[in-house]
Amino acid sequence: MASHWKWSLALLVVWVSTCTEASSSLHMDDFIKAVKQVEDGNPGLEPVAVLRGLRRAAGLNDAFIQHFLGNANSSGPEMDAGLSDYIGRALRHSVTKDAREEGVVLTSDGTTVALRPLLLGIEAGFLSKARGRVRGLHQLTLARDLGLSFRHFRSSPLSQRLGPDGCWDNVTSPKVFTLSDDPSLVTTAQVNGGMDGVILGMEVSAQSRRPLKLSRLLTAYYCHQLGSEGLDAAPRLISPRRREKFRELVLPPLLARQVVRSIDLHRRLKGHPKMEVKEKKQLAAVVNEGIKEFVAEYMDCPPIIPRCMWGAEPYRGTPTLLSLPLSFMYIHHTSTPSQPCLTFEQCSADMRSMQRFHQDDRGWDDIGYSYVAGSDGYIYEGRGWHWRGAHTYGHNSKGYGVSFIGDYSSSLPSQHSMGLVRDHLASCAVGGGRLVANFTLQGHRQVVNTSCPGEALYSEIKGWEHFGEVTE
């Protein structure tokens, strides 16, 4: 009997610790489960009431938010202490002195999202009276954060105003997210959350029949499983399409105006006098400069999964720095792995496999490519913009090596993945001064010159092979 009692107690301890472990995970899937728990505990509750309850649990009720969304303390579902604490931790955004970013979650596609601007944007969308026109949408999601960042770093380089991205301690049960560089006032996770808030806020506002459950809306956007055709046949409203969808919805001049308005409103709510005309013109000039950097970084460039997120081993030895700008981008396919990767997990595993082959079998310092394109909607960082690669014999110091995961000796990569490289990775390279403005994209039997990246870079891509032998 005593033995049975001890065994039952042990099972109880394991069960409790397992549940505690799961509830502390900062993965979007776990956050959606928490939202569903709120919904299941309050049947028939409207999404706006759920959103206000989440906002109240997180204490997101300052004067700026109330100006657009009202007071969250006046309504919303009750929650038990444990659930309320988890939601509060997941939503309250901050960056600590040791560069840990809090109030962010890891999504299934490998990107990190700040929940605060996401949920504020969705709530604004549900509250809108006119379809497609959402009061306060840009201010609540992106504009205020961008404005504070631009003003704070008015005399600093633009590179310090935006970003950076970062790394999770564990991609299976993420708990700690650490930034990869000195933080600005608006990180990549905040930008991702702000973009998603705009996209989903506009979506629920435009729908004649709005979703009955917040958890369903989040699940459809963040948890879609791609089919064999990848993003070519995927729905338009899923997180891997974040940047392309945002480009459709938001014009940079409009965003710049909303940033200026946000700063003005923020000042007035704090009791400051109205800005003089001269001051407002100076502010507009700073904002326009900052928006150009924002567009280059988050709208023109493709989404890139950093090395730490796919589990890269360290570089062996000392990297050789490239002398920029470069003149070429060399296009490859991996051959092995032979199949396109359609998920963050599979693409990451393929990257690790290639790195092991290049380091252990070929004796190179690192994975040979500068960047690798998956079929999941993302570019994966290899040696990156600054380290010389091992991809094209005799040309490693002259250009970047970009490979598509899969064997394309008799077929083409997906249109979406080719577009990421052709229209956005190439544009990002030129925009960052890494390639000269007039460069060549080369693959086996495929050489095209253009002064306008994104136009006719590919006339036909068949039978891709490595351009010469690959060597370190």
Side-chain angles (χ1 to χ4, degrees), residues 28 31-40 44-55 77 79 87 91 115 118-126 196-197 200-201 204 210-223:
M28 179 62 81
F31 178 74
I32 293 174
K33 290 176 185 175
V35 172
K36 193 172 186 305
Q37 189 174 339
V38 174
E39 294 170 338
D40 291 345
L45 202 65
E46 293 291 327
V48 169
V50 173
L51 285 159
R52 283 187 172 175
L54 301 179
R55 185 152 56 95
M79 305 176 202
I87 289 172
L91 264 68
L115 289 173
L118 164 67
L119 296 182
L120 292 179
I122 295 174
E123 187 174 347
F126 275 117
D196 290 346
L200 293 179
V204 298
R210 298 184 175 183
L212 298 177
K213 299 287 186 181
L214 174 62
S215 59
R216 291 180 188 172
L217 176 68
L218 296 175
T219 298
Y221 186 75
Y222 289 107
C223 305

Side-chain angles (χ1 to χ4, degrees), residues 432-454:
R434 303 168 183 111
L435 294 169
V436 296
N438 190 3
F439 75 98
T440 304
L441 186 84
Q442 292 194 348
H444 188 70
R445 298 193 301 276
Q446 174 65 24
V447 182
V448 181
N449 253 317
T450 178
S451 59
C452 184

Side-chain angles (χ1 to χ4, degrees), residues 330-344:
Y330 301 102
I331 303 301
H332 305 263
H333 67 155
T334 63
S335 183
T336 303
S338 61
Q339 297 300 313
C341 61
L342 298 169
T343 66
F344 166 64

